[in-house]
Amino acid sequence: DAGVIQSPRHEVTEMGQEVTLRCKPISGHNSLFWYRQTMMRGLELLIYFNNNVPIDDSGMPEDRFSAKMPNASFSTLKIQPSEPRDSAVYFCASSFGVLSYGYTFGSGTRLTVV
Amino acid sequence: KNEVEQSPQNLTAQEGEFITINCSYSVGISALHWLQQHPGGGIVSLFMLSSGKKKHGRLIATINIQEKHSSLHITASHPRDSAVYICAAIDTGNQFYFGTGTSLTVIP
């Protein structure tokens, strides 16, 4: 298995633009997580899905952020409109359950909003 | 108030030393997750545990539910163990609380 695949690896965008980050989880995993990491705030969980259903989105900072998982093999995190404070590394991870084994992280997307 | 506290923040060790990283939490948990972040930024899940002890190679994680404390031990440390180690407490409502990380440097 190729692991959790995130795209793009790097994204530079102008303030106000829409940004879409993509994640392909490991086949067979039924939980998917989106994290954000910054120097100021460290690692934060934004949202997670179980069997394609959003379970907890309390970490999503505001309405500009939205996440979808239309099927078991694909998820997106969208920021619209983007702001400079959204600059961070965004990680996607998948596992066989929230408290289960097989927890695997993607390589991350480094987002810079100028 | 931080729900999860890690210590030490920074740690330098000589190759071969036994290393302990501590994680204390204030919430009732379902599980505690240890993560390793390499200097290149990649994150690896080390352990997910809710009781007792788990071992993988030279890494051992323990948890004391009554004391709300977990430790990560590295035996016979090696320069390739140099990384940031992060603990995350997952409470009974599946909320995640992250420590700020322990930066470990192992010198040859």
Side-chain angles (χ1 to χ4, degrees), chain A residues 1-5 24-29:
Chain A
D1 199 320
V4 175
I5 300 172
K24 177 177 165 56
I26 288 176
S27 177
H29 282 187

Side-chain angles (χ1 to χ4, degrees), chain B residues 20-90:
Chain B
T20 297
I21 298 170
N22 297 298
C23 177
S24 296
Y25 53 90
S26 59
V27 296
I29 65 164
S30 296
L32 191 116
H33 201 176
W34 281 101
L35 305 171
Q36 178 193 54
Q37 187 164 29
H38 296 287
I43 299 177
V44 174
S45 172
L46 297 177
F47 298 104
M48 177 86 75
L49 69 166
S50 56
S51 65
K53 179 168 81 171
K54 287 191 176 181
K55 184 175 188 292
H56 187 262
R58 294 180 296 104
L59 301 178
I60 303 166
T62 63
I63 189 166
N64 185 317
I65 298 296
Q66 286 72 30
E67 295 186 2
K68 296 190 173 181
H69 182 266
S70 177
S71 293
L72 178 68
H73 305 286
I74 305 175
T75 62
S77 60
H78 190 276
R80 65 175 174 266
D81 298 324
S82 298
V84 175
Y85 293 83
I86 301 168
C87 70
I90 305 168

Side-chain angles (χ1 to χ4, degrees), chain A residues 33 35 37 43-45 48 56 58 91 98-100 103 105, chain B residues 30-31 33 35 37 41 43 45 48 86 90 94-96 98:
Chain A
F33 308 80
Y35 295 84
Q37 187 176 39
L43 194 62
E44 304 172 277
L45 178 67
Y48 70 90
D56 186 348
S58 59
F91 290 98
V98 177
L99 303 178
S100 190
Y103 219 105
F105 282 78
Chain B
S30 296
H33 201 176
L35 305 171
Q37 187 164 29
I43 299 177
S45 172
M48 177 86 75
I86 301 168
I90 305 168
N94 285 347
Q95 292 280 311
F96 285 55
F98 293 89

Side-chain angles (χ1 to χ4, degrees), chain A residues 12 16 33 54 57 61 71 77 79 84 86 89 97 106 108:
Chain A
V12 180
F33 308 80
D57 65 355
N71 57 62
L77 178 68
I79 308 172
D86 302 329
V89 180

